[in-house]
Amino acid sequence: MIQINNLIKEFEGFRALDGVDMTVKKGAVYGLVGPNGAGKSTLIRHITGVMRPDAGEVFINGEPVYENAKIKGKMAYIPDDMFYFLQSDTINMMKYYKGMYPDFDEKHFYKMQEFFPSIDVRRNVRKLSKGMQKQVAFWLALCCRPELIVLDEPVDGLDPVMRRQIWSIMLEDVAENNTTVIVSSHNLRELEDVCDHVGILNHGKIIIERSLTELQGNISKIQIACPCGMPKIPQDFKVLHMSNIGRVYTVIVRGNPQDVVAAITAGEDSPQVVDVLPLTLEEIFIYEMGGEDYEVKDIIY
Ligand code: ADP
Ligand code: MG
């Protein structure tokens, strides 16, 4: 649905985007992760057609997005600063959105009101708390019935309960409508339970882009109780990391968990207990990108 090729953007000689390549499939929930200053907001302003590339291309449904009204009408965008948003009360904002978005669903707006009981829809959005302002932004974005929702650090400033609530409303809605979502964060952990694709942006480049299914089947974390010293891992599986507490070893290996376990337990003197442990996204990326020593640790924390 989104194809970005060699996107370059400079600000007064400084390259904020340095040849970004990115692919987002229809229906994906794509996490754009990178440290502050990596270029996430700049990239997002290109995806939303607000900024004109210096070089390279941004296509949505095969068309260049810059100043493309047709595409923008099918896209909802919650920017990192919501300044533009703080003009009026929620009802008036809703009417404004209804005028802007051809597919705006007013019925859906009132139906969703029960999810936002703390919002006084007649109060100027500017006077609501920051968390409430974000809620209103999410609420209106979903009612636009967009094909694509773009969220720039959307849950910054929200408490954990509110985050969970917003995400559950959001994810249910996007799953139902097969909406594509791009969400940025400086913290991979924040996107752990939300995304099915992750791209990592650093110094203006996407350095790795993966689907979670691709990642999760590829690296395994196995716990082995081994009475006779270090467990032997069959050579087919590259050991990325091994640590132990007494006789219990934790190994991270490249390969599918079922295959690894089958291979470890195949021999006659096989270890007593073998457990497959879940890997966090963080661990997966650290090992995927070359292990603990690599600078990726600073990138995704
Ligand atoms: P992120 O959202 O990942 O924190 P940004 O895209 O906001 O990163 O910024 C990337 C880099 O580009 C930063 O060094 C920032 O200072 C610079 N930058 C962003 N927007 C502008 C601008 N309008 N003018 C000059 N420099 C900018
Ligand atoms: Mg930003």
Side-chain angles (χ1 to χ4, degrees):
M1 172 173 201
I2 303 175
Q3 182 64 47
I4 299 176
N5 304 320
N6 198 25
L7 179 62
I8 290 172
K9 183 71 179 183
E10 292 189 352
F11 297 112
E12 293 134 23
F14 171 76
R15 255 192 196 199
L17 298 180
D18 189 16
V20 170
D21 296 309
M22 178 171 163
T23 308
V24 183
K25 291 200 184 99
K26 169 117 191 89
V29 179
Y30 187 108
L32 180 64
V33 181
N36 290 326
K40 300 181 297 295
S41 297
T42 306
L43 176 55
I44 280 176
R45 288 187 194 112
H46 284 84
I47 294 171
T48 51
V50 179
M51 271 185 184
R52 185 210 290 268
D54 289 343
E57 294 146 334
V58 182
F59 293 112
I60 298 189
N61 291 334
E63 290 180 40
V65 65
Y66 181 66
E67 288 192 341
N68 187 324
K70 191 178 102 196
I71 292 177
K72 287 189 187 185
K74 297 195 171 293
M75 178 194 308
Y77 168 37
I78 304 183
D80 49 350
D81 66 83
M82 301 221 299
F83 180 74
Y84 84 99
F85 193 78
L86 307 174
Q87 312 292 338
S88 179
D89 65 31
T90 302
I91 293 291
N92 278 314
M93 288 298 296
M94 186 270 285
K95 288 179 181 156
Y96 173 75
Y97 270 60
K98 199 174 144 191
M100 296 251 297
Y101 284 89
D103 299 323
F104 193 90
D105 190 340
E106 192 171 351
K107 270 201 200 123
H108 198 53
F109 175 84
Y110 288 108
K111 228 168 87 188
M112 285 186 84
Q113 193 164 5
E114 63 171 301
F115 296 129
F116 304 102
S118 60
I119 308 284
D120 176 356
V121 293
R122 284 294 180 193
R123 195 148 188 237
N124 194 311
V125 180
R126 191 189 302 274
K127 298 210 175 99
L128 302 177
S129 76
K130 204 175 164 206
M132 289 178 180
Q133 292 170 358
K134 288 270 175 180
Q135 289 180 54
V136 174
F138 270 95
W139 183 3
L140 291 174
L142 290 173
C143 293
C144 296
R145 294 296 195 196
E147 278 183 24
L148 171 66
I149 298 184
V150 184
L151 309 162
D152 197 356
E153 307 250 5
V155 292
D156 243 20
L158 294 189
D159 64 70
V161 176
M162 188 46 68
R163 280 177 196 211
R164 220 169 303 134
Q165 206 174 334
I166 291 261
W167 277 123
S168 82
I169 295 167
M170 179 93 189
L171 290 175
E172 193 175 317
D173 204 275
V174 300
E176 210 165 282
N177 298 294
N178 202 27
T179 316
T180 311
V181 179
I182 295 178
V183 49
S184 77
S185 175
H186 56 275
N187 187 344
L188 183 60
R189 228 171 279 166
E190 211 161 68
L191 301 178
E192 176 96 48
D193 305 318
V194 177
C195 298
D196 45 39
H197 289 73
V198 173
I200 293 186
L201 187 72
N202 193 32
H203 297 308
K205 279 195 175 82
I206 296 275
I207 50 176
I208 186 171
E209 184 176 79
R210 292 282 189 277
S211 79
L212 251 52
T213 41
E214 202 177 5
L215 284 172
Q216 276 158 350
N218 222 351
I219 294 185
S220 314
K221 185 176 186 177
I222 314 271
Q223 206 162 54
I224 305 168
C226 218
C228 41
M230 258 178 28
K232 291 187 192 67
I233 309 295
Q235 281 186 349
D236 301 352
F237 303 100
K238 184 169 185 240
V239 177
L240 302 170
H241 177 84
M242 190 184 293
S243 62
N244 70 301
I245 297 171
R247 290 175 183 171
V248 179
Y249 287 78
T250 305
V251 229
I252 295 177
V253 293
R254 194 170 289 286
N256 178 286
Q258 279 93 35
D259 299 345
V260 179
V261 169
I264 291 175
T265 53
E268 284 205 342
D269 52 350
S270 70
Q272 290 169 333
V273 186
V274 178
D275 274 329
V276 177
L277 303 180
L279 281 148
T280 63
L281 263 186
E282 235 166 72
E283 287 176 307
I284 294 175
F285 272 104
I286 285 173
Y287 292 107
E288 181 75 10
M289 296 189 61
E292 286 168 317
D293 301 331
Y294 193 66
E295 60 169 329
V296 68
K297 268 199 156 172
D298 305 327
I299 300 174
I300 58 184
Y301 276 69

